[in-house]
């Protein structure tokens, strides 16, 4: 059972901090929601609210930086260079007469009118994310000795990945813009859920075995850079 309530302090961008006490929480966690800019603090059930607020104030600079990144957004424009599946790709307008987006060495050539440039770039990135994540998911599923039904991508903002009881796995397409170790950590996490639909010790052991290392660095990277990823393609 979760207890959810809001408190007037601290405040960020005029909004109160949302505090959640969760029986399974073992430590304090702070998150900026890329959907609406709300700031959420998750606490163990018996944690001191006074101490938690003091800790939140210590994180204020980080929170305000995340909010600033969310508000700014990042347009996908000609000349921009993105890290795509660990490789630097520069977005470029294709020569007249081309009809499809195509990769040419370290360039991604995008045809058509200028006002369609960003939408076509995002469409290609989603397809590339689906291709890469499907391959990596099925390879790790084979390693874990489990089956996976459908692998898909979407523009989810609350979770980087999810696994259903029926074996469907869904990812945020924006993982294709994260470093390889971050993307693969998310894949290992979701494949491990095909065996354990919880976050207990057995799940964590399998997750680490599939990844070959601790997932803590990947989680830290997403915590620091997740809002920036969500800003791509949003003016």
């Amino acid at each position: 059972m979760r207890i959810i309530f809001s408190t007037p302090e601290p405040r960020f961008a005029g909004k109160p901090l949302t505090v959640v006490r969760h029986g399974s929480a073992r430590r304090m966690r702070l998150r900026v929601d890329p959907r609406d800019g709300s700031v959420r603090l998750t606490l163990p059930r018996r944690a001191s609210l006074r101490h938690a607020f003091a800790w939140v104030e210590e994180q204020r600079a980080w929170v305000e930086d995340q909010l600033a990144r969310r508000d700014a957004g990042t347009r996908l424009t000609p000349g921009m260079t993105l890290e795509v599946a660990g490789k630097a790709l520069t977005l470029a307008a294709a020569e007249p007469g081309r009809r499809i987006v195509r990769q040419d060495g370290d360039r991604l050539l995008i045809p058509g009118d200028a006002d369609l440039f960003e939408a076509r770039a995002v469409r290609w990135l989603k397809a590339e994310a689906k291709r890469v994540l499907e391959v990596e998911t099925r390879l790790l599923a084979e390693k874990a000795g489990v089956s996976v039904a459908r692998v898909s991508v979407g523009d989810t903002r609350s979770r980087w990945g999810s696994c259903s009881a029926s074996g469907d796995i869904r990812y945020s397409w924006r993982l294709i813009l994260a470093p390889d170790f971050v993307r693969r950590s998310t894949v290992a996490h979701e494949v491990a859920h095909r065996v354990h639909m919880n976050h207990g010790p057995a799940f964590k052991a399998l997750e680490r075995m599939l990844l070959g290392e601790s997932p803590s660095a990947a989680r830290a990277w997403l915590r620091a850079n997740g809002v920036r990823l969500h800003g791509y393609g949003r003016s």
Side-chain angles (χ1 to χ4, degrees):
M1 177 180 177
R2 295 186 300 172
I3 303 171
I4 303 178
F5 60 93
S6 291
T7 181
E9 293 181 344
R11 299 179 72 88
F12 295 95
K15 296 179 182 179
L17 177 72
T18 298
V19 180
V20 180
R21 289 193 182 272
H22 201 299
S24 64
R26 295 291 177 264
R27 59 186 177 86
M28 295 185 292
R29 295 180 61 188
L30 196 59
R31 178 177 180 272
V32 177
D33 192 326
R35 296 169 297 182
D36 57 12
S38 61
V39 183
R40 177 186 178 103
L41 172 66
T42 302
L43 296 175
R45 190 173 297 278
R46 298 182 181 277
S48 163
L49 197 58
R50 179 171 61 85
H51 290 161
F53 284 174
W55 178 75
V56 169
E57 288 297 342
E58 293 174 2
Q59 313 304 315
R60 179 170 288 275
W62 175 82
V63 172
E64 291 178 347
D65 177 65
Q66 297 298 296
L67 290 172
R69 295 185 187 189
R70 171 189 174 272
D71 291 340
T74 305
R75 296 295 304 271
L76 301 184
T77 57
M80 172 183 285
T81 298
L82 297 173
E83 290 288 329
V84 180
K87 180 179 180 179
L89 282 182
T90 299
L91 308 184
E95 60 273 20
R98 295 286 182 181
R99 293 187 177 183
I100 61 171
V101 177
R102 65 187 180 91
Q103 186 175 339
D104 180 20
D106 60 358
R107 295 190 303 162
L108 186 65
L109 301 177
I110 302 170
D113 298 336
D115 58 350
L116 297 176
F117 186 92
E118 185 171 57
R120 287 178 172 166
V122 168
R123 190 178 305 122
W124 185 89
L125 289 168
K126 288 180 177 179
E128 184 68 1
K130 169 71 164 58
R131 183 187 70 80
V132 171
L133 286 162
E134 176 133 30
V135 169
E136 292 179 345
T137 298
R138 297 199 181 279
L139 283 174
L140 277 194
E142 183 178 357
K143 182 176 180 180
V146 295
S147 63
V148 169
R150 183 168 176 258
V151 177
S152 62
V153 299
D155 199 5
T156 57
R157 303 192 202 180
S158 58
R159 290 188 289 181
W160 295 103
S162 61
C163 177
S164 72
S166 63
D168 290 340
I169 294 180
R170 185 173 179 81
Y171 300 101
S172 168
W173 70 265
R174 296 172 185 278
L175 286 169
I176 201 66
L177 303 175
D180 288 349
F181 79 95
V182 173
R183 186 184 68 252
R184 290 168 182 161
S185 177
T186 305
V187 173
H189 186 95
E190 300 310 328
V191 169
H193 274 313
R194 289 292 296 125
V195 181
H196 305 286
M197 291 298 283
N198 55 60
H199 292 102
F203 165 85
K204 292 177 180 178
L206 177 58
E207 177 187 31
R208 182 165 186 149
M209 185 277 288
L210 292 173
L211 185 59
E213 61 185 5
S214 169
S216 58
R219 291 172 185 159
W221 192 95
L222 284 174
R223 171 179 159 81
N225 297 279
V227 170
R228 176 174 60 83
L229 292 190
H230 284 295
Y232 283 114
R234 302 187 194 281
S235 57

